[in-house]
Amino acid sequence: MTETGTARFGPLWVDGVRVAETELTSLAAVIHRGLRGLPSGSVVQLPAEPPVGLVARTVVGELDLVHVLGEDTLAYAGMDAAALIDADGVVHRRAPGLRPRRLPGTARLAATSGSTGHPEAVAHGREAITFQASALQERLRFEAGEVMLLPLQTAHAYGASVVELWSRYGVGLMLEHTSPLRTFIPRLVEHKPSSVDLVPSMLAMLLSAARRDDAVAAGIDRLRLLNVGGDVLPPSLVEAARAVCDQRLLDGYGLTEAGPNVAVNCPEFYREGTVGRPLPGVRVRIDDGQIMVSSPSVLLGYVRDGNVVPQTDADGWLATGDLGSVDDQGYLKVVGRRKEVIIVHGRTFAPIAVEDALRAVPGVDDAGVVAVREEHATRDRVHAFVRAESNGTDADELRRRCVEALPSGLGPVRLRFVDELPLLPSGKLDRNALREVVRACT
């Protein structure tokens, strides 16, 4: 473990190569010198490349500055950086321009995924980041010597929350940066980490590999924590995991605006089909089907044209835009996005439920569903995109199976077979891209 300032960096591997402790301390010192003297609240753009980007966010916090995650976040915020740190750790001061460069009271700017529209720049305070790390550590209980495998982008909220455990609690971090989709499965098998964090699309890849290779299945079973987040976990993946390994899928729920984590399953508090209980200190209620969150880690607001625009109500509750329910034991279940609900003749269908019905069809590898209001139409038309398994299944037969699997009452569905489904950088299904495909074909 490396300690510098308030940080307690754990062991770090980037693309399988161990980063020396001396390199981490040297980078921290170089970045600290370069940023010294900047006014409190100055915005600092970090590089995406590790280890510099990982070390820099801690140093920026120690100096009461604002670190920016994601290259486009400043554009969404309508701001400029007062300084930029390059991939070598060199700090470049920026000359003042027309746009604001300071955001007092803020510690981090991060962009939403844009899964439901235009991305927003989200501002969080220092206390929010500290609370998130503490609550997550209390729930997951990492110990000295454990190593987390992370094949997710650290510029997104989910990956960033894992990095905080590395920088604050000395937990080892094995980061797959260059080609995570290609390398995370071999790394899991060969290096035997304690945990892995995945989005559902990556989990599907892992389970597919486990069906073909016993060594991958054994690697999964060795994990203490198999964490899944970033999107709704399809029940079909839970069934697929049960068929190839003895590992529980520790589904969780969060969103950038909430800091990000709201609820997380863990070995001690686990209920299949839910995203777990809210983290300690987080409150959840359901308002007309919508998940509402109150937490010390909710956003200060969206940053637009350099101004923080609050997004919580007068009592501090955040409307998430997600649909869900809470059972009598306090476990939260997430159905999907409120904006994504498909309404046909007064009946509502969650896209994830339709997609899961298609994934259950033999010969189907994955599916994505959107509803689009076509020109001159009186209601939305449902479009299903299906990626077939490469096992030579007859296309007409597969189409027949898919049509039969669709829920009754959904109405006519336009079915398309595709080679790949579009994904956002966060790993979520890019439904906006699917809608653009539909509009381009009408």
Side-chain angles (χ1 to χ4, degrees), residues 51-404:
V52 177
L54 307 184
V55 173
R57 66 187 69 186
T58 297
V59 178
V60 167
E62 291 174 345
L63 295 173
D64 199 26
L65 306 174
V66 183
H67 73 266
V68 181
L69 298 179
E71 295 180 359
D72 298 323
T73 306
L74 283 176
Y76 306 146
M79 299 189 69
D80 290 326
L84 180 147
I85 303 174
D86 67 23
D88 295 318
V90 178
V91 176
H92 303 270
R93 304 285 182 104
R94 295 304 199 197
L98 297 178
R99 301 199 302 180
R101 307 193 312 159
R102 294 184 62 220
L103 209 58
T106 299
R108 179 179 69 199
L109 283 179
T112 61
S113 67
S115 58
T116 59
H118 180 71
E120 295 273 8
V122 175
H124 279 109
R126 202 161 317 285
E127 295 80 7
I129 300 173
T130 300
F131 168 81
Q132 265 287 306
S134 174
L136 195 58
Q137 169 63 4
E138 184 176 341
R139 176 61 53 86
L140 299 181
R141 299 185 181 278
F142 280 103
E143 297 181 354
E146 290 197 288
V147 175
M148 308 173 294
L149 175 59
L150 183 64
L152 306 176
Q153 292 192 18
T154 59
H156 291 284
Y158 184 4
S161 69
V162 178
V163 171
E164 290 294 329
L165 296 177
W166 165 76
S167 66
R168 293 170 181 266
Y169 296 101
V171 187
L173 178 63
M174 192 169 291
L175 179 65
E176 299 304 304
H177 174 71
T178 305
S179 304
L181 295 181
R182 182 175 59 83
T183 59
F184 85 91
I185 296 175
R187 207 77 71 203
L188 184 149
V189 173
E190 297 167 10
H191 290 261
K192 303 178 178 62
S194 310
S195 72
V196 64
D197 284 85
L198 303 171
V199 294
S201 58
M202 288 180 168
L203 175 63
M205 293 175 57
L206 178 62
L207 297 177
S208 178
R211 285 194 293 269
R212 302 188 304 268
D213 188 342
D214 290 343
V216 176
I220 296 173
D221 284 334
R222 276 195 299 266
L223 293 167
R224 184 173 73 85
L225 302 171
L226 174 48
N227 301 317
V228 187
D231 209 347
V232 176
L233 177 63
S236 58
L237 284 183
V238 178
E239 292 299 322
R242 189 177 288 118
V244 299
C245 65
D246 296 323
Q247 187 66 253
R248 285 175 168 177
L249 302 183
L250 301 179
D251 195 9
Y253 166 68
L255 61 161
T256 304
E257 292 91 335
N261 299 289
V262 172
V264 177
N265 271 300
C266 67
E268 293 78 20
F269 301 105
Y270 172 81
R271 179 162 292 184
E272 186 176 302
T274 76
V275 293
R277 290 174 171 170
L279 292 174
V282 176
R283 293 187 295 159
V284 170
R285 64 180 172 86
I286 306 300
D287 186 355
D288 192 24
Q290 181 177 202
I291 300 169
M292 306 287 291
V293 175
S294 175
S295 165
S297 63
V298 297
L299 76 171
L300 299 171
Y302 291 144
V303 182
R304 298 167 178 163
D305 296 323
N307 299 305
V308 177
V309 182
Q311 298 298 308
T312 56
D313 66 17
D315 296 319
W317 286 90
L318 172 69
T320 66
D322 293 318
L323 299 173
S325 61
V326 179
D327 68 18
D328 57 0
Q329 297 297 312
Y331 287 88
L332 175 64
K333 183 175 183 178
V334 180
V335 177
R337 293 290 297 176
R338 195 174 192 174
K339 293 181 181 178
E340 300 290 353
V341 168
I342 300 168
I343 302 176
V344 180
H345 300 307
R347 290 185 61 188
T348 60
F349 299 85
I352 185 67
V354 181
E355 291 161 358
D356 214 52
L358 291 170
R359 291 188 188 102
V361 173
V364 171
D365 187 47
D366 204 356
V369 173
V370 292
V372 177
R373 180 69 55 88
E374 298 174 0
E375 191 174 3
H376 307 306
T378 58
R379 66 176 182 85
D380 292 345
R381 173 90 181 260
V382 181
H383 298 257
F385 294 77
V386 173
R387 185 178 69 202
E389 294 178 348
S390 56
N391 57 6
T393 303
D394 179 75
D396 291 336
E397 172 63 16
L398 189 57
R399 181 178 295 274
R400 183 189 65 78
R401 293 178 191 168
C402 288
V403 171
E404 290 179 350

